[in-house]
Amino acid sequence: MQVKIVYASMTGNDEDMAEILEEDLQDAGFDVDSSDVSFTDASDYLNADICVFVTYTYGEGKMTDELEDFYDQLKNLDLSGKKFLVMGSGDKTYKDHYCENVFDFEKVFLACGAEEVIQPLTVENAPDDDDIAKIDEIADELAEKFNG
């Protein structure tokens, strides 16, 4: 199965998360393509079976320009028949806005007709050992669902 991972990373935390998932999925036999949101068109998801988006939430949840551009492209796609999952980082000091962009992208994937296969994973700042274990579990679950 073809997996497309698109990540947005300001500090490197979300790129790290994307790289961990990419390696895990490749080890499980998936064909994985990963790219930075700034160099990716949302239509790249049309060639994938599983769409993954990894994003950060900056401050009080306002999307940065590159996130907003990708979001606007994404909301115009028909992703019926595609599977998706989202994950990302945020800072709990922003309380109600913690990982807000993760949930914004979850909503837009659902609006595009994609089917959510795993609930969003949210990470405070950088992924720690527990978060890495959760990413590993996501890869295992995907392998069981789609490669088993």
Side-chain angles (χ1 to χ4, degrees), residues 5 64 78-79 82 91-92 94 98 124:
I5 300 173
T64 57
D78 178 2
L79 296 177
K82 306 292 182 187
D91 187 335
K92 287 186 178 177
Y94 289 98
Y98 174 67
E124 184 169 21

Side-chain angles (χ1 to χ4, degrees), residues 6-143:
V6 179
Y7 63 88
S9 192
M10 184 176 282
T11 60
N13 296 337
D14 296 280
E15 183 175 7
D16 290 345
M17 292 169 63
E19 288 174 355
I20 293 163
L21 183 62
E22 178 181 17
E23 185 176 307
D24 287 348
L25 291 175
Q26 287 173 335
D27 290 347
F30 287 91
D31 182 10
V32 184
D33 179 52
S34 183
S35 59
D36 184 296
V37 69
S38 297
F39 305 105
T40 307
D41 191 279
S43 66
D44 290 356
Y45 280 136
L46 296 174
N47 299 319
D49 301 301
I50 302 172
C51 309
V52 179
F53 193 71
V54 185
T55 187
Y56 61 91
T57 299
Y58 183 74
E60 294 183 346
K62 180 166 175 14
M63 287 187 199
T64 57
D65 289 344
E66 76 273 5
L67 286 176
E68 193 169 3
D69 290 346
F70 194 81
Y71 182 91
D72 288 342
Q73 291 174 20
L74 187 59
K75 71 182 181 184
N76 292 313
L77 295 179
D78 178 2
L79 296 177
S80 300
K82 306 292 182 187
K83 312 297 185 198
F84 84 93
L85 67 104
V86 293
M87 59 181 171
S89 65
D91 187 335
K92 287 186 178 177
T93 60
Y94 289 98
K95 295 180 175 73
D96 293 340
H97 301 287
Y98 174 67
C99 288
E100 188 172 334
N101 291 163
V102 171
F103 299 106
D104 290 338
F105 276 92
E106 177 190 33
K107 289 175 192 165
V108 77
F109 272 106
L110 289 168
C112 292
E115 177 188 345
E116 187 169 38
V117 291
I118 295 176
Q119 293 296 305
L121 172 66
T122 58
V123 171
E124 184 169 21
N125 301 316
D128 62 18
D129 289 343
D130 288 341
D131 297 318
I132 292 168
K134 289 176 186 171
I135 295 169
D136 294 343
E137 288 172 19
I138 287 171
D140 290 344
E141 190 173 335
L142 288 173

